[in-house]
Amino acid sequence: MILDRTQPPAFQAIQQIQLPAVQSHSLDNGIPLHVISVAHQPVLRLECVFNAGTWYEQTPGSAFFTMKMLSEGTPVRSSAQINEYIDRYGAFLELNSGPDRASVVVYCLTKFLPHLLPLLREMLTEPAFPQKELDDLRNITLQNLRVNYEKNAYLAGVLFRETLFGANHPYGRSQRPEAVENLTRQGVVDFFERVVRNRPFQIVLAGQVTENEIVAVNQELGHLAIRTDELASFDGPIQPDDRLAVLSEKPDSIQSSIRIGRRLFTRSHPDFFKMLVTNEVLGGYFGSRLMKNIREEKGFTYGISSNMPSFRRDGYFLIGTDVNKENTQQTLDEIRKEIGILQTEPVSTDELETVQNYMAGEFVGSLNTPFEIADRYKVILLDVMPADFLTTYISKVRAVSPDDIMEMASRYLAPDDLREVIVGGK
């Protein structure tokens, strides 16, 4: 049979997906263990997730430094010995901290998990927080911050979040050099003792997982003492900047970084999927309207995008780009023009179908490995989302109509609701 290569192969639009089920267990001490078992390769990822983000800080910066310092020494191992032990088994350790939560992540071959669990337990229960390692980490962080604050794009992101939520709110707070300089070892120890030690956490175990690994996790982490007293957290108000437009002049800068957006909502909001498709049409992918206008037609930028970051308790909409300073105002005008078109003219059936097919393909493409599947499931497990959030994702995207997009653009992208941050100049 001779193939006719002038004809494209047949294709079928993705309508639904099937994901491996999450098996939830409870360790002997009540700690939830969520297992995503995909036995393609003999590897796994174990993630311990704590309610220990900036939302629970009393001293700025203490959440970040506490998590990073867990691997810097215990009473019986130095930082070098911990790293050497991890390397011996070809494993990899990640220590993450965010606004809502923090996590300790171990990647390893399945057969080596029993060797790494005692070290993990040691780090979670007996960190030493040595002063020298803290000073070194603080100096590295300060150097990185000073470099980053010279970058327009970084500073624009900081100012934008502060504009939306206020500089003292966990979602608006960013690392500042003065806060890092003032942080003491006692501040780190206090955060660990109050927020991490013996506090409940959740475990997500993904990869080639059998009953043996579940038993091993229970043996090492299922007998930790767990506190039941309530954990104090941030309870202050959101205090946004009163100004709709913020300009940070940098006379020596050639470019301007532009950020436009507003507070929005979490993934549980009834308009989430409608707004998600609206965002995609406007600036969510390479073929979006903002890219076609400002990159391809005007040539003002290498890239412009919009997205919808979502936290546990809030979320926001953001358009971001970098342009030559002399093109700043025209870029702002074109962005608002595209939003206006979205509010008044229905999206064509062909364009909407292209966007929905792209979103379906991108979603399926993000589920190639057990670890990616676990990352998606964490949205459900940690933010208490509906169990069918992932399996109905594509159908909800495809259910969005042109009228829905016009409604969302009019309701959530009104000019008087959009805040503007410029770093560089006009």
Side-chain angles (χ1 to χ4, degrees):
M1 179 180 177
I2 300 176
L3 292 177
D4 183 359
R5 298 190 183 277
T6 63
Q7 299 298 317
F11 76 95
Q12 184 175 354
I14 302 168
Q15 301 295 338
Q16 60 182 6
I17 59 169
Q18 291 185 338
L19 294 174
V22 176
Q23 298 176 346
S24 293
H25 307 264
S26 183
L27 304 187
D28 289 347
N29 56 3
I31 292 295
L33 170 63
H34 309 289
V35 177
I36 297 98
S37 181
V38 182
H40 291 328
Q41 294 178 330
V43 295
L44 58 77
R45 182 182 76 180
L46 185 148
E47 182 169 7
C48 299
V49 186
F50 295 82
N51 290 326
T54 53
W55 196 269
Y56 302 92
E57 284 183 339
Q58 293 179 345
T59 303
S62 56
F64 170 83
F65 280 91
T66 297
M67 299 311 297
K68 292 296 183 184
M69 287 294 295
L70 291 181
S71 64
E72 296 299 323
T74 68
V76 296
R77 301 181 209 249
S78 66
S79 173
Q81 289 171 326
I82 290 175
N83 291 329
E84 180 184 349
Y85 188 86
I86 292 171
D87 289 343
R88 184 189 310 169
Y89 292 104
F92 181 72
L93 178 69
E94 277 185 357
L95 301 167
N96 303 313
S97 178
D100 292 307
R101 59 183 67 94
S103 63
V104 180
V105 190
V106 176
Y107 297 83
C108 66
L109 290 174
T110 301
K111 64 182 179 180
F112 291 143
L113 180 64
H115 299 281
L116 293 161
L117 283 170
L119 173 63
L120 177 61
R121 186 194 67 230
E122 192 176 308
M123 290 166 50
L124 294 179
T125 57
E126 303 177 85
F129 302 115
Q131 185 68 53
K132 179 183 180 304
E133 279 73 8
L134 176 60
D135 292 340
D136 290 344
L137 178 60
R138 187 164 48 194
N139 289 335
I140 292 170
T141 304
L142 281 170
Q143 291 173 16
N144 290 335
L145 280 177
R146 288 174 181 135
V147 171
N148 285 334
Y149 271 96
E150 293 300 316
K151 301 175 182 177
N152 289 2
Y154 183 88
L155 182 56
V158 170
L159 293 177
F160 182 77
R161 291 188 297 274
E162 289 182 357
T163 298
L164 291 189
F165 298 102
N168 295 320
H169 191 277
Y171 294 159
R173 188 186 310 154
S174 300
Q175 278 191 340
R176 291 284 188 176
E178 56 272 19
V180 175
E181 289 174 342
N182 294 331
L183 184 69
T184 64
R185 179 182 179 277
Q186 190 59 48
V188 173
V189 172
D190 289 345
F191 183 86
F192 175 79
E193 294 293 340
R194 183 176 62 86
V195 180
V196 180
R197 186 189 291 278
N198 296 339
R199 286 292 180 185
F201 59 96
Q202 297 193 57
I203 304 172
V204 181
L205 189 59
Q208 190 182 81
V209 183
T210 67
E211 188 64 28
N212 292 335
E213 285 69 51
I214 295 173
V215 170
V217 171
N218 188 52
Q219 287 176 342
E220 291 293 340
L221 304 179
H223 299 93
L224 300 177
I226 299 298
R227 296 165 61 176
T228 57
D229 57 304
E230 186 175 353
L231 173 60
S233 64
F234 178 82
D235 60 358
I238 290 177
Q239 297 178 314
D241 195 313
D242 292 334
R243 297 169 294 172
L244 284 178
V246 175
L247 174 63
S248 177
E249 291 275 7
K250 298 184 75 172
D252 297 333
S253 179
I254 297 173
Q255 287 190 320
S256 291
S257 287
I258 298 173
R259 301 292 183 268
I260 297 177
R262 57 161 293 170
R263 278 182 59 208
L264 211 52
F265 38 67
T266 66
R267 295 181 182 91
S268 61
H269 193 278
D271 287 338
F272 176 77
F273 282 96
K274 294 178 184 178
M275 191 60 197
L276 195 66
V277 178
T278 303
N279 166 77
E280 204 75 18
V281 172
L282 180 62
Y285 75 118
F286 194 78
S288 69
R289 294 187 174 189
L290 290 178
M291 283 291 281
K292 288 178 179 177
N293 181 335
I294 295 169
R295 182 186 189 273
E296 296 179 16
E297 296 177 11
K298 304 297 188 301
F300 289 164
T301 183
Y302 285 111
I304 181 170
S305 63
S306 64
N307 56 78
M308 292 168 51
S310 184
F311 304 119
R312 177 183 291 176
R313 300 169 178 86
D314 216 317
Y316 61 94
F317 170 79
L318 170 66
I319 299 171
T321 189
D322 297 296
V323 300
N324 285 339
K325 190 182 293 186
E326 62 267 21
N327 296 326
T328 303
Q329 186 57 55
Q330 192 173 351
T331 300
L332 293 169
D333 294 341
E334 292 298 323
I335 290 172
R336 295 183 184 278
K337 184 185 83 172
E338 291 296 339
I339 292 173
I341 293 172
L342 213 55
Q343 293 169 336
T344 55
E345 299 178 14
V347 176
S348 69
T349 302
D350 287 345
E351 182 182 8
L352 181 55
E353 184 178 359
T354 297
V355 168
Q356 290 168 333
N357 285 340
Y358 173 82
M359 294 179 71
E362 184 184 45
F363 181 70
V364 173
S366 70
L367 301 168
N368 288 323
T369 70
F371 307 153
E372 291 174 334
I373 295 171
D375 286 336
R376 290 288 189 174
Y377 268 124
K378 280 193 301 183
V379 173
I380 295 174
L381 299 172
L382 302 180
D383 289 344
V384 196
M385 298 293 295
D388 64 349
F389 181 83
L390 296 180
T391 55
T392 60
Y393 182 97
I394 294 175
S395 63
K396 288 179 178 177
V397 165
R398 293 198 180 281
V400 177
S401 69
D403 288 341
D404 291 333
I405 293 175
M406 289 178 62
E407 180 188 357
M408 293 298 102
S410 299
R411 180 181 301 175
Y412 297 115
L413 302 182
D416 292 342
D417 293 332
L418 296 178
R419 294 176 177 271
E420 171 190 306
V421 171
I422 309 294
V423 176
K426 292 187 178 183

